[in-house]
Amino acid sequence: MTRGNQRDLARAKNAKKLEQQKKAQGAAGKAGNAGVSTENRMSRDADAMRQKQLAAEARKAAEAAAKTGDVKKVQKFDPLK
């Protein structure tokens, strides 16, 4: 009456099949993109990337400003003069 590992193999096969179907849906099948056209999605994503780039540039500029403020200037001293 036992089925051995047939049930486990069927579950693994079904999980693989569902994963392939999910991959085949692409970006349109994801919850955040439901009902959004491709052009709108592309412009939304481009705007988000621009915002991230601006934030990264501002962070880098702030780090560079902090580094230049921490550097101590060395005064040259000539004992022979």
Side-chain angles (χ1 to χ4, degrees):
M1 209 82 171
T2 61
R3 297 182 60 178
N5 66 348
Q6 183 179 0
R7 183 174 292 143
D8 293 334
L9 293 175
R11 285 183 182 147
K13 182 180 176 184
N14 191 35
K16 184 177 179 182
K17 180 178 141 188
L18 291 175
E19 184 180 329
Q20 291 297 327
Q21 286 177 349
K22 190 174 182 181
K23 281 185 183 178
Q25 284 182 344
K30 295 189 178 178
N33 297 330
V36 180
S37 70
T38 304
E39 293 83 17
N40 290 343
R41 188 172 63 238
M42 288 174 63
S43 66
R44 179 195 66 197
D45 294 345
D47 290 339
M49 288 304 297
R50 279 190 215 99
Q51 293 297 324
K52 286 177 73 173
Q53 287 174 343
L54 289 173
E57 289 173 2
R59 188 186 74 242
K60 286 180 183 178
E63 288 175 359
K67 281 185 181 179
T68 57
D70 291 343
V71 175
K72 295 180 180 178
K73 295 185 179 181
V74 177
Q75 184 180 14
K76 293 185 180 181
F77 179 72
D78 189 7
L80 300 176
K81 286 189 177 182

XYZ file of all heavy atoms in Angstrom:
607
model
N 0.804 -1.193 0.000
C 0.000 0.000 0.000
C 0.852 1.264 0.000
O 0.352 2.321 -0.313
C -0.840 -0.052 1.265
C -2.112 0.618 1.207
S -3.506 -0.089 0.523
C -4.625 1.133 1.035
N 2.103 1.131 0.350
C 2.957 2.322 0.386
C 3.352 2.726 -1.023
O 3.442 1.891 -1.932
C 4.221 2.055 1.219
O 4.943 1.011 0.614
C 3.871 1.715 2.643
N 3.617 3.982 -1.196
C 3.946 4.506 -2.512
C 5.435 4.784 -2.645
O 5.872 5.297 -3.658
C 3.166 5.789 -2.749
C 1.663 5.550 -2.763
C 0.920 6.791 -3.029
N 1.311 7.343 -4.330
C 0.779 8.428 -4.841
N -0.137 9.082 -4.192
N 1.170 8.885 -6.003
N 6.211 4.540 -1.617
C 7.640 4.793 -1.693
C 7.920 6.280 -1.804
O 7.313 7.088 -1.119
N 8.819 6.632 -2.689
C 9.163 8.050 -2.844
C 8.433 8.685 -4.022
O 8.766 9.777 -4.453
C 10.672 8.211 -3.001
C 11.184 7.602 -4.286
O 10.482 6.877 -4.964
N 12.425 7.910 -4.614
N 7.426 8.028 -4.553
C 6.689 8.551 -5.704
C 6.039 9.895 -5.382
O 6.065 10.816 -6.194
C 5.621 7.537 -6.124
C 4.844 7.939 -7.355
C 3.819 6.882 -7.748
O 3.707 5.850 -7.080
N 3.089 7.143 -8.814
N 5.486 9.996 -4.186
C 4.831 11.240 -3.773
C 5.847 12.378 -3.702
O 5.598 13.487 -4.173
C 4.145 11.044 -2.435
C 3.383 12.262 -1.965
C 2.602 11.974 -0.710
N 1.521 11.042 -1.005
C 1.109 10.071 -0.201
N 1.685 9.885 0.958
N 0.114 9.282 -0.542
N 7.020 12.106 -3.123
C 8.059 13.135 -3.021
C 8.556 13.565 -4.397
O 8.783 14.752 -4.653
C 9.241 12.618 -2.192
C 8.860 12.394 -0.732
O 7.913 13.069 -0.265
O 9.505 11.548 -0.099
N 8.730 12.589 -5.290
C 9.175 12.923 -6.647
C 8.130 13.780 -7.371
O 8.472 14.718 -8.094
C 9.455 11.645 -7.440
C 10.646 10.814 -6.969
C 10.730 9.511 -7.755
C 11.922 11.618 -7.114
N 6.851 13.461 -7.173
C 5.786 14.237 -7.810
C 5.762 15.668 -7.274
O 5.563 16.618 -8.033
C 4.438 13.559 -7.582
N 5.978 15.815 -5.974
C 6.013 17.169 -5.386
C 7.179 17.974 -5.936
O 7.036 19.159 -6.252
C 6.100 17.077 -3.871
C 4.805 16.693 -3.221
C 4.923 16.686 -1.719
N 3.667 16.273 -1.114
C 3.552 15.596 0.001
N 4.632 15.262 0.675
N 2.383 15.272 0.469
N 8.339 17.354 -6.040
C 9.511 18.052 -6.564
C 9.297 18.448 -8.025
O 9.653 19.551 -8.438
C 10.742 17.176 -6.429
N 8.707 17.534 -8.796
C 8.436 17.815 -10.211
C 7.458 18.975 -10.348
O 7.647 19.869 -11.180
C 7.884 16.560 -10.880
C 7.611 16.722 -12.347
C 7.070 15.433 -12.947
C 6.704 15.625 -14.411
N 6.096 14.419 -14.979
N 6.425 18.978 -9.523
C 5.427 20.049 -9.576
C 6.036 21.381 -9.147
O 5.737 22.421 -9.736
C 4.223 19.698 -8.711
C 3.077 20.644 -8.945
O 2.866 21.097 -10.054
N 2.338 20.947 -7.897
N 6.892 21.366 -8.126
C 7.535 22.599 -7.676
C 8.418 23.171 -8.778
O 8.430 24.392 -9.022
C 8.354 22.344 -6.421
N 9.134 22.301 -9.480
C 9.981 22.748 -10.586
C 9.133 23.343 -11.713
O 9.476 24.371 -12.294
C 10.807 21.576 -11.100
C 11.785 21.939 -12.173
C 12.615 20.742 -12.590
C 13.583 21.126 -13.694
N 14.371 19.951 -14.140
N 8.012 22.696 -12.007
C 7.114 23.175 -13.060
C 6.553 24.556 -12.704
O 6.502 25.461 -13.549
C 5.985 22.170 -13.251
C 4.983 22.532 -14.308
C 3.941 21.428 -14.419
C 2.592 22.038 -14.640
N 1.512 21.057 -14.574
N 6.144 24.735 -11.443
C 5.604 26.030 -11.012
C 6.670 27.123 -11.067
O 6.381 28.264 -11.421
C 5.028 25.917 -9.600
C 3.754 25.086 -9.467
C 3.366 24.957 -8.008
C 2.630 25.692 -10.276
N 7.905 26.754 -10.723
C 8.999 27.719 -10.782
C 9.256 28.163 -12.216
O 9.463 29.346 -12.486
C 10.264 27.092 -10.190
C 11.439 28.031 -10.122
C 12.661 27.366 -9.521
O 12.494 26.480 -8.665
O 13.767 27.742 -9.925
N 9.210 27.230 -13.151
C 9.406 27.562 -14.557
C 8.284 28.464 -15.072
O 8.516 29.397 -15.834
C 9.484 26.282 -15.403
C 10.727 25.467 -15.158
C 11.990 26.206 -15.538
O 12.005 26.990 -16.476
N 13.051 25.978 -14.782
N 7.054 28.199 -14.646
C 5.936 29.041 -15.056
C 6.093 30.451 -14.516
O 5.782 31.430 -15.189
C 4.618 28.443 -14.574
C 4.169 27.228 -15.347
C 2.890 26.633 -14.790
O 2.447 27.002 -13.708
N 2.302 25.701 -15.532
N 6.561 30.559 -13.273
C 6.750 31.867 -12.665
C 7.831 32.657 -13.398
O 7.691 33.859 -13.626
C 7.125 31.695 -11.187
C 7.117 32.965 -10.392
C 7.360 32.673 -8.927
C 7.300 33.943 -8.103
N 7.547 33.689 -6.699
N 8.905 31.973 -13.803
C 9.976 32.633 -14.562
C 9.469 33.090 -15.926
O 9.849 34.143 -16.414
C 11.152 31.684 -14.762
C 12.042 31.536 -13.576
C 13.241 30.667 -13.928
C 14.129 30.441 -12.746
N 15.265 29.556 -13.097
N 8.611 32.279 -16.543
C 8.107 32.584 -17.878
C 7.205 33.820 -17.874
O 7.072 34.497 -18.900
C 7.353 31.390 -18.443
N 6.590 34.128 -16.742
C 5.708 35.292 -16.673
C 6.485 36.589 -16.859
O 5.970 37.549 -17.403
C 4.982 35.342 -15.336
C 3.850 34.370 -15.223
C 3.148 34.497 -13.887
O 3.673 35.091 -12.951
N 1.964 33.933 -13.792
N 7.703 36.639 -16.393
C 8.521 37.831 -16.522
C 8.098 38.919 -15.556
O 7.449 38.680 -14.539
N 8.468 40.152 -15.886
C 8.222 41.288 -14.999
C 6.745 41.627 -14.897
O 6.290 42.141 -13.879
C 8.996 42.495 -15.481
N 5.980 41.344 -15.941
C 4.559 41.699 -15.928
C 3.779 40.877 -14.912
O 2.739 41.314 -14.427
C 3.961 41.507 -17.311
N 4.270 39.715 -14.569
C 3.556 38.846 -13.650
C 3.787 39.152 -12.187
O 3.152 38.566 -11.329
N 4.695 40.053 -11.877
C 4.992 40.356 -10.479
C 3.943 41.276 -9.895
O 3.306 42.060 -10.596
C 6.374 40.974 -10.361
C 7.454 39.994 -10.772
C 8.807 40.495 -10.466
C 9.822 39.434 -10.864
N 11.167 39.837 -10.644
N 3.765 41.212 -8.585
C 2.692 41.944 -7.918
C 2.844 43.453 -8.059
O 1.862 44.167 -8.262
C 2.653 41.572 -6.441
N 4.039 43.987 -7.995
C 4.253 45.429 -8.087
C 4.019 45.987 -9.473
O 3.849 47.189 -9.646
N 4.001 45.116 -10.484
C 3.842 45.565 -11.862
C 2.462 45.264 -12.427
O 2.222 45.476 -13.614
C 4.901 44.891 -12.745
C 6.294 45.283 -12.344
O 6.519 46.373 -11.848
N 7.242 44.393 -12.548
N 1.566 44.783 -11.612
C 0.244 44.406 -12.096
C -0.515 45.628 -12.598
O -0.618 46.639 -11.910
C -0.552 43.722 -10.991
N -0.996 45.550 -13.812
C -1.805 46.625 -14.385
C -1.010 47.821 -14.865
O -1.589 48.855 -15.185
N 0.310 47.709 -14.948
C 1.143 48.823 -15.386
C 1.712 48.471 -16.753
O 2.225 47.373 -16.968
C 2.293 49.071 -14.378
C 3.166 50.215 -14.828
C 1.733 49.349 -13.004
N 1.616 49.425 -17.693
C 2.136 49.156 -19.024
C 3.668 49.135 -18.996
O 4.301 49.633 -18.061
C 1.650 50.213 -20.019
O 2.264 51.449 -19.739
N 4.244 48.577 -20.027
C 5.700 48.450 -20.101
C 6.372 49.818 -20.098
O 7.376 50.020 -19.409
C 6.095 47.682 -21.372
O 5.431 46.423 -21.372
C 7.588 47.459 -21.426
N 5.815 50.768 -20.837
C 6.416 52.105 -20.913
C 6.385 52.793 -19.556
O 7.362 53.418 -19.129
C 5.690 52.973 -21.955
C 5.862 52.492 -23.383
C 4.896 51.373 -23.748
O 3.884 51.180 -23.036
O 5.178 50.672 -24.742
N 5.229 52.680 -18.869
C 5.111 53.292 -17.543
C 6.058 52.639 -16.547
O 6.666 53.309 -15.718
C 3.681 53.187 -17.030
C 2.731 54.083 -17.788
O 3.162 55.001 -18.478
N 1.452 53.806 -17.698
N 6.190 51.326 -16.638
C 7.085 50.608 -15.740
C 8.532 51.019 -15.986
O 9.295 51.247 -15.046
C 6.910 49.102 -15.926
C 7.643 48.276 -14.908
C 7.307 46.804 -14.999
N 7.709 46.242 -16.268
C 6.893 45.634 -17.129
N 5.618 45.533 -16.859
N 7.354 45.145 -18.245
N 8.896 51.160 -17.262
C 10.270 51.554 -17.596
C 10.576 52.967 -17.112
O 11.647 53.228 -16.561
C 10.502 51.434 -19.101
C 10.584 49.996 -19.577
S 10.688 49.832 -21.359
C 12.211 50.649 -21.706
N 9.640 53.882 -17.288
C 9.880 55.259 -16.834
C 9.917 55.324 -15.308
O 10.737 56.045 -14.731
C 8.818 56.207 -17.388
O 7.551 55.901 -16.848
N 9.070 54.538 -14.642
C 9.084 54.503 -13.174
C 10.414 53.972 -12.663
O 11.014 54.537 -11.746
C 7.939 53.613 -12.690
C 7.870 53.483 -11.170
C 6.993 52.355 -10.731
N 7.587 51.095 -11.148
C 6.934 49.951 -11.204
N 5.654 49.905 -10.906
N 7.531 48.833 -11.571
N 10.888 52.896 -13.289
C 12.158 52.306 -12.869
C 13.326 53.253 -13.153
O 14.261 53.355 -12.357
C 12.385 50.970 -13.564
C 11.372 49.921 -13.135
O 10.692 50.137 -12.109
O 11.272 48.886 -13.829
N 13.274 53.960 -14.287
C 14.334 54.911 -14.621
C 14.367 56.060 -13.610
O 15.445 56.495 -13.188
C 14.135 55.450 -16.035
N 13.199 56.541 -13.209
C 13.141 57.601 -12.203
C 13.717 57.119 -10.872
O 14.457 57.854 -10.205
C 11.698 58.075 -11.993
C 11.167 58.851 -13.189
O 11.979 59.359 -13.978
O 9.926 58.939 -13.306
N 13.395 55.892 -10.502
C 13.924 55.343 -9.251
C 15.444 55.223 -9.314
O 16.141 55.543 -8.344
C 13.294 53.980 -8.975
N 15.967 54.808 -10.448
C 17.418 54.688 -10.592
C 18.090 56.062 -10.547
O 19.163 56.224 -9.965
C 17.778 53.976 -11.896
C 17.457 52.502 -11.873
S 18.233 51.617 -10.511
C 19.941 51.831 -10.874
N 17.464 57.069 -11.160
C 18.027 58.430 -11.103
C 18.091 58.933 -9.667
O 19.071 59.544 -9.251
C 17.196 59.380 -11.961
C 17.531 59.307 -13.421
C 16.857 60.435 -14.205
N 16.490 59.905 -15.507
C 15.283 59.483 -15.858
N 14.274 59.560 -15.012
N 15.055 58.991 -17.051
N 17.034 58.663 -8.910
C 17.014 59.070 -7.502
C 18.112 58.373 -6.711
O 18.790 58.992 -5.890
C 15.648 58.769 -6.877
C 14.513 59.604 -7.432
C 14.699 61.084 -7.153
O 15.197 61.460 -6.106
N 14.308 61.918 -8.099
N 18.315 57.084 -6.981
C 19.370 56.345 -6.292
C 20.742 56.890 -6.660
O 21.622 57.009 -5.807
C 19.290 54.853 -6.652
C 18.151 54.124 -5.987
C 18.059 52.695 -6.422
C 19.163 51.862 -5.835
N 18.987 50.421 -6.119
N 20.934 57.241 -7.942
C 22.217 57.780 -8.373
C 22.488 59.129 -7.727
O 23.617 59.408 -7.306
C 22.258 57.911 -9.892
C 22.380 56.590 -10.603
C 22.274 56.720 -12.099
O 21.808 57.737 -12.615
N 22.692 55.683 -12.813
N 21.464 59.985 -7.649
C 21.636 61.284 -7.004
C 21.983 61.123 -5.526
O 22.847 61.830 -4.995
C 20.371 62.126 -7.165
C 20.094 62.649 -8.575
C 18.731 63.321 -8.622
C 21.183 63.604 -9.014
N 21.315 60.186 -4.867
C 21.599 59.938 -3.458
C 23.022 59.417 -3.272
O 23.733 59.820 -2.343
C 20.591 58.947 -2.887
N 23.470 58.537 -4.170
C 24.827 57.998 -4.072
C 25.862 59.091 -4.313
O 26.889 59.162 -3.626
C 25.011 56.861 -5.074
N 25.606 59.965 -5.289
C 26.535 61.065 -5.560
C 26.609 62.011 -4.372
O 27.690 62.479 -4.004
C 26.114 61.816 -6.815
C 26.343 61.038 -8.092
C 25.768 61.732 -9.307
O 25.221 62.854 -9.172
O 25.854 61.148 -10.399
N 25.468 62.302 -3.763
C 25.452 63.187 -2.600
C 26.210 62.550 -1.438
O 26.973 63.226 -0.735
C 24.011 63.485 -2.187
N 26.027 61.240 -1.246
C 26.737 60.543 -0.170
C 28.247 60.552 -0.408
O 29.027 60.808 0.496
C 26.240 59.103 -0.066
C 26.780 58.372 1.149
C 26.397 56.903 1.170
N 27.183 56.188 0.177
C 26.704 55.545 -0.882
N 25.413 55.511 -1.087
N 27.494 54.927 -1.729
N 28.645 60.329 -1.666
C 30.075 60.339 -1.986
C 30.668 61.724 -1.795
O 31.790 61.876 -1.313
C 30.296 59.867 -3.423
C 30.112 58.385 -3.594
C 30.353 57.969 -5.026
C 30.087 56.495 -5.218
N 30.271 56.083 -6.617
N 29.925 62.765 -2.176
C 30.402 64.127 -1.994
C 30.551 64.457 -0.514
O 31.524 65.103 -0.105
C 29.447 65.113 -2.663
N 29.610 63.996 0.287
C 29.686 64.244 1.727
C 30.878 63.510 2.341
O 31.585 64.054 3.194
C 28.395 63.798 2.401
N 31.132 62.281 1.892
C 32.285 61.535 2.397
C 33.589 62.201 1.996
O 34.527 62.273 2.782
C 32.240 60.097 1.887
C 31.171 59.246 2.530
C 31.079 57.861 1.922
O 31.849 57.562 0.973
O 30.236 57.076 2.387
N 33.648 62.697 0.759
C 34.855 63.366 0.291
C 35.087 64.658 1.077
O 36.225 64.978 1.433
C 34.745 63.676 -1.197
N 34.018 65.382 1.372
C 34.141 66.609 2.152
C 34.596 66.294 3.575
O 35.399 67.028 4.155
C 32.814 67.354 2.175
N 34.117 65.222 4.127
C 34.507 64.838 5.480
C 35.970 64.414 5.518
O 36.682 64.711 6.478
C 33.621 63.705 5.987
N 36.432 63.745 4.474
C 37.826 63.315 4.424
C 38.770 64.509 4.339
O 39.805 64.530 4.985
C 38.064 62.385 3.237
C 37.602 60.982 3.464
C 37.983 60.105 2.303
C 37.508 58.680 2.511
N 37.867 57.829 1.370
N 38.419 65.503 3.521
C 39.302 66.655 3.368
C 39.330 67.492 4.638
O 40.325 68.126 4.938
C 38.877 67.537 2.177
O 37.528 67.956 2.365
C 39.019 66.790 0.875
N 38.256 67.464 5.404
C 38.219 68.215 6.656
C 39.050 67.555 7.747
O 39.552 68.214 8.646
N 39.222 66.239 7.682
C 39.960 65.514 8.705
C 41.471 65.541 8.492
O 42.227 65.294 9.422
C 39.498 64.051 8.748
C 38.086 63.919 9.279
O 37.614 64.893 9.907
O 37.474 62.872 9.068
N 41.887 65.815 7.295
C 43.316 65.770 6.994
C 44.007 66.968 7.645
O 43.614 68.113 7.469
C 43.545 65.792 5.467
C 45.017 65.859 5.154
C 42.900 64.583 4.828
N 45.056 66.678 8.411
C 45.803 67.746 9.059
C 46.878 68.234 8.104
O 47.569 67.440 7.474
C 46.450 67.246 10.350
C 45.447 66.855 11.398
C 46.130 66.379 12.648
C 45.104 65.984 13.698
N 45.738 65.469 14.906
N 46.987 69.528 8.003
C 47.999 70.086 7.128
C 49.337 70.065 7.859
O 49.441 70.455 9.018
C 47.636 71.508 6.731
C 46.379 71.562 5.885
C 46.089 72.939 5.404
C 44.845 72.942 4.552
N 44.512 74.238 4.042
N 50.335 69.603 7.161
C 51.668 69.516 7.738
C 52.412 70.803 7.425
O 52.498 71.225 6.276
C 52.428 68.300 7.167
C 53.846 68.250 7.721
C 51.679 67.033 7.465
N 52.923 71.415 8.461
C 53.674 72.646 8.278
C 55.130 72.279 8.080
O 55.719 71.550 8.877
C 53.513 73.556 9.494
C 54.192 74.889 9.326
C 53.988 75.754 10.559
O 53.571 75.271 11.613
N 54.270 77.018 10.418
N 55.679 72.783 6.994
C 57.073 72.501 6.721
C 57.937 73.368 7.634
O 57.720 74.571 7.760
C 57.392 72.756 5.262
C 56.712 71.790 4.331
C 57.125 71.983 2.909
C 56.437 70.995 1.999
N 56.844 71.156 0.624
N 58.925 72.756 8.223
C 59.798 73.454 9.143
C 61.242 73.171 8.751
O 61.665 72.016 8.707
C 59.542 72.992 10.577
C 60.433 73.648 11.582
C 60.263 74.979 11.916
C 61.448 72.935 12.190
C 61.081 75.571 12.827
C 62.283 73.530 13.104
C 62.086 74.851 13.425
N 61.958 74.237 8.461
C 63.361 74.097 8.084
C 64.213 74.620 9.226
O 64.225 75.826 9.495
C 63.647 74.867 6.799
C 65.012 74.585 6.237
O 65.696 73.685 6.774
O 65.405 75.246 5.262
N 64.946 73.775 9.945
C 65.709 74.224 11.111
C 66.916 75.085 10.734
O 67.482 75.760 11.593
C 66.153 72.917 11.772
C 66.119 71.915 10.697
C 65.043 72.345 9.733
N 67.306 75.101 9.486
C 68.474 75.875 9.083
C 68.152 77.312 8.781
O 69.051 78.129 8.664
C 69.149 75.227 7.880
C 69.649 73.787 8.115
C 70.204 73.225 6.826
C 70.685 73.749 9.213
N 66.932 77.678 8.688
C 66.574 79.077 8.382
C 66.316 79.871 9.610
O 65.902 79.519 10.621
C 65.371 79.146 7.461
C 65.711 78.778 6.054
C 64.544 79.081 5.178
C 64.882 78.798 3.732
N 63.844 79.097 2.842
